[in-house]
Amino acid sequence: MQITQEVAGELHQQKVTKYVLTNQHGTRAAILTWAATLQEFSALEDGKRQQLAVHQDNLAAYDNNTYCLCQALGRVAGRIKGAAFDIDGKTYQIEATEGKNAIHGGPHGFLHINWDATTQEDGDRASVILTHTSTPQDDQYPGNLTTTITYTLDENDRLTITFNGQSDAATLFNPTIHAYFNVTDDQHDLDQQWLTLNADKRLILNDEKIPTGEKAAVAGTGYDFRQPRTIKDGLAQLAQNGGVEYDDAFEVKPGDAPIATVGDTTGHREVQIYSDRNGVVVFTANATDPARADKRDYNALALEAQNLPDAIHHEGFGDIVLPANQSVTHTIAYQYVRK
């Protein structure tokens, strides 16, 4: 394993460091301290560098990135209805960031932090360990929350991301990495990328994309990815009912099996996504070309593993309350497979 670091540049008068983890196969992950960003996840195939995640080379592109491109989201990644919630009988109001609702951790969340970082190498594993303490004055959530995000690459081409949180007051904790994938040869579009989801149901959303609490079976619909299916084919079925994109939450089955897999129809490669939580948000976008984005000409598929959005308001969506002075850890893993 190899770990290198370099100064990536400056954002807001802060030095941003880039760490690169590389294994003996040439698989590598590049992590920026700004927003704990996964700037690159790629593999070496027959001497050629194959990108798996969608990325930008320019550091400035990650500053207030509209799409949160492969960046950390927290304290709570998904939407919170009314930007308010109750813990132990007390109501907390946080800043609304999408209409009257909150999303992506708010305007002072993980996205806007230049994280402290250290590295660690342990035989066939190499890690970047990022830490930050968020205060109620920072983001209006209760409690001083210390979060550690650890990226670990191993010799089996698996990139594991762990999120550990501990707070001095009960708070909410449901972070993720807003990872975007395109595993096709040239990453030009999603026409040749297929997806499977370990999901029988999706959430019904209102016109503000807030869950109503209802769940709908995916069988026979444009949301049915229980078997490999191209994004193009799924979108075509959605279009029959006026749908133009995916921006949807699916209830998945965490455990030893992947919650999702993306692959290319040429059969060259796939990436399997693992999670210990019950939800994944699937979002189609073009995060690197505004002109194509305006035309809904997608080249990136976001897969955001987390507890189901707005879980604090819905029984059975997952417990995202972090009790005071207790520690919780969540894990997401991306497994590259050469076919």
Side-chain angles (χ1 to χ4, degrees):
M1 298 296 300
Q2 181 183 43
I3 305 174
T4 63
Q5 71 178 79
E6 63 186 72
V7 176
E10 286 193 3
L11 290 176
H12 305 278
Q13 292 78 54
Q14 299 176 72
K15 182 178 71 175
V16 177
T17 303
K18 175 180 179 177
Y19 295 89
V20 181
L21 312 177
T22 308
N23 70 14
Q24 293 184 23
H25 306 143
T27 300
R28 74 185 182 205
I31 296 95
L32 300 174
T33 54
W34 187 262
T37 300
L38 177 61
Q39 189 185 23
E40 180 183 349
F41 182 39
S42 67
L44 200 60
E45 297 181 350
D46 301 324
K48 179 183 176 182
R49 178 62 53 188
Q50 176 65 46
Q51 301 295 331
L52 306 169
V54 177
H55 76 289
Q56 297 273 32
D57 292 321
N58 183 8
L59 173 64
Y62 289 95
D63 184 19
N64 293 314
N65 184 281
T66 303
Y67 294 95
C68 311
L69 181 63
C70 295
Q71 296 183 311
L73 302 180
R75 302 182 186 193
V76 176
R79 292 177 173 89
I80 298 177
K81 182 179 180 181
F85 53 89
D86 293 346
I87 298 179
D88 297 332
K90 183 176 179 179
T91 299
Y92 296 91
Q93 185 74 49
I94 59 176
E95 192 168 346
T97 48
E98 187 183 64
K100 61 185 178 182
N101 306 307
I103 189 174
H104 292 164
H108 309 289
F110 292 177
L111 278 169
H112 308 282
I113 294 166
N114 194 30
W115 293 67
D116 296 327
T118 60
T119 61
Q120 180 176 319
E121 189 172 350
D122 181 16
D124 61 352
R125 297 157 52 93
S127 301
V128 177
I129 304 158
L130 304 128
T131 58
H132 180 77
T133 297
S134 307
T135 72
Q137 292 73 33
D138 292 335
D139 59 13
Q140 301 172 322
Y141 284 85
N144 296 292
L145 171 72
T146 298
T147 302
T148 302
I149 301 176
T150 304
Y151 286 90
T152 300
L153 180 67
D154 66 25
E155 291 292 1
N156 294 318
D157 300 330
R158 178 176 290 223
L159 179 64
T160 301
I161 308 164
T162 60
F163 306 82
N164 179 269
Q166 186 166 340
S167 172
D168 59 6
T171 191
L172 302 187
F173 190 64
N174 189 23
T176 194
I177 300 297
H178 203 303
Y180 289 82
F181 292 96
N182 186 329
V183 300
T184 64
D185 287 345
D186 59 9
Q187 291 195 318
H188 180 266
D189 54 48
L190 294 177
D191 289 358
Q192 305 304 316
Q193 178 163 282
W194 56 261
L195 168 70
T196 60
L197 293 174
N198 193 358
D200 296 324
K201 295 180 179 179
R202 66 179 179 94
L203 300 188
I204 299 298
L205 309 177
N206 66 17
D207 57 4
E208 296 178 325
K209 298 185 179 179
I210 296 292
T212 66
E214 302 172 277
K215 300 174 184 177
V218 301
T221 72
Y223 302 97
D224 191 350
F225 288 94
R226 293 174 299 170
Q227 298 297 322
R229 181 184 195 180
T230 64
I231 306 305
K232 181 179 181 180
D233 180 66
L235 286 170
Q237 187 170 0
L238 288 190
Q240 296 173 11
N241 295 308
V244 295
E245 66 178 358
Y246 288 103
D247 190 1
D248 294 275
F250 293 80
E251 184 178 41
V252 295
K253 304 176 183 68
D256 294 335
I259 63 163
T261 303
V262 287
D264 70 313
T265 57
T266 62
H268 290 163
R269 68 195 65 85
E270 64 185 49
V271 173
Q272 302 163 350
I273 294 91
Y274 296 81
S275 173
D276 58 1
R277 287 174 287 174
N278 68 351
V280 64
V281 173
V282 178
F283 176 51
T284 45
N286 193 313
T288 57
D289 188 333
R292 289 179 62 190
D294 289 343
K295 299 176 184 177
R296 300 187 183 277
D297 181 10
Y298 305 122
N299 77 333
L301 185 72
L303 294 167
E304 309 160 54
Q306 58 191 272
N307 278 115
L308 291 169
D310 203 32
I312 190 62
H313 293 132
H314 299 281
E315 187 176 353
F317 274 26
D319 184 4
I320 65 170
V321 175
L322 174 60
N325 302 312
Q326 294 187 27
S327 177
V328 68
T329 299
H330 296 302
T331 301
I332 302 170
Y334 308 132
Q335 177 68 60
Y336 161 69
V337 179
R338 177 78 184 272
K339 305 301 286 186

